Amino acid sequence: MDDTVREWREAGQAGDLVLLDGFHALKHALRFGADVRMVIAEDPGAVRALARELAPDVEADVVRLVRRAGLKEVLPRVHPTGVAALAVRPDRAAGIAGLGRLPRPAPVVVLDNPRNLGNVGAVVRLAAGFGATGVVTRGDLDPWHPNVVRAGAGLHYATTVERLALEELPPGPLYALDPEGTDIRALTLPDDALLAFGSERHGISPELRARADHLVSLPMRPQVSSYNLATSVAMTLFHWGGPPAHEQGGEDA
């Protein structure tokens, strides 16, 4: 076992580091200020070339951090871009304080007992893109699970992502998505709103429904049972408004 692999395994046992699987996760984490501790690749030169082509704004950091190591020795599967990294998970207390700070410039997305790791990652990616204040999950799913971070392309570092109990939710009017609610097209969603979405199978829980200030429905053709969770979040955030036009941009994934 070489020294880099040994160091990676020892660092991973610490429990406070997040796996960034693939170049795009690494790129976004660096771009949004993550404390990246290690970057390993089968071919560091190829990763440097990717940074030069796709993310010149973080190229210097990638060049400084990347080291050669056998990814198959430390990962169950290797990302097609051939790179992985470990970064410090953001401070929980600071994240919760940020979620509760008023006035808020953008809503908080609340996922009520989600079950699908990939869906949660897709929601984090949407929240980051729309400039939401954060994503809060209720239930036993860890929103920082490696599969969630992978699906979110490292954009956990572009917003606040925490797991909270119902009584710990940030302040603000709670708008819960429910088929019996008011059509969203008749509403204006305020910046300080909590936008709550139920689980993929069961919808919002009775306790969250009772806590809601408003029930909101999305337009849907009869006999169509539901939308995908990420689709529902995207529709709702688009109705809210998103970032100002002068801040908008984008690039390929």
Side-chain angles (χ1 to χ4, degrees), residues 59-252:
E59 180 185 0
D61 288 322
V62 172
V63 169
R64 173 176 56 85
L65 289 165
V66 68
R67 296 155 62 179
R68 186 182 303 276
L71 295 182
K72 292 181 180 179
E73 295 185 56
V74 294
L75 298 175
R77 67 174 185 174
V78 177
H79 192 275
T81 54
V83 62
L86 293 173
V88 177
R89 181 167 172 167
D91 181 71
R92 175 174 166 82
I96 293 173
L99 290 169
R101 196 171 296 123
L102 294 174
R104 270 195 299 268
V108 174
V109 174
V110 179
L111 303 182
D112 187 29
N113 197 33
R115 310 312 305 158
N116 185 285
L117 297 167
N119 279 346
V120 176
V123 169
V124 170
R125 194 166 183 172
L126 281 164
F130 274 96
T133 294
V135 176
V136 168
T137 65
R138 297 185 61 238
D140 56 8
L141 183 148
D142 178 9
W144 283 87
H145 186 283
N147 290 352
V148 180
V149 178
R150 181 184 300 115
L155 284 163
H156 283 59
Y157 290 92
T159 187
T160 299
V161 180
E162 291 293 344
R163 176 169 50 178
L164 300 174
L166 181 63
E167 63 273 12
E168 296 175 313
L169 290 181
L174 179 59
Y175 290 73
L177 275 288
D178 185 274
E180 298 179 7
T182 302
D183 191 312
I184 194 171
R185 292 170 292 187
L187 298 172
T188 297
L189 301 176
D191 293 346
D192 63 351
L194 307 179
L195 306 176
F197 301 83
S199 70
E200 295 86 344
R201 178 172 296 181
H202 301 294
I204 59 172
S205 62
E207 60 270 25
L208 189 138
R209 197 177 197 277
R211 160 78 168 75
D213 298 292
H214 307 275
L215 296 180
V216 182
S217 65
L218 296 171
M220 184 182 297
R221 182 179 176 183
Q223 297 183 314
V224 175
S225 58
S226 65
Y227 293 119
N228 172 272
L229 175 62
T231 300
S232 297
V233 174
M235 293 170 69
T236 304
L237 287 175
F238 185 83
H239 181 77
W240 161 68
H246 69 275
E247 294 182 1
Q248 294 181 27
E251 59 188 48
D252 294 336

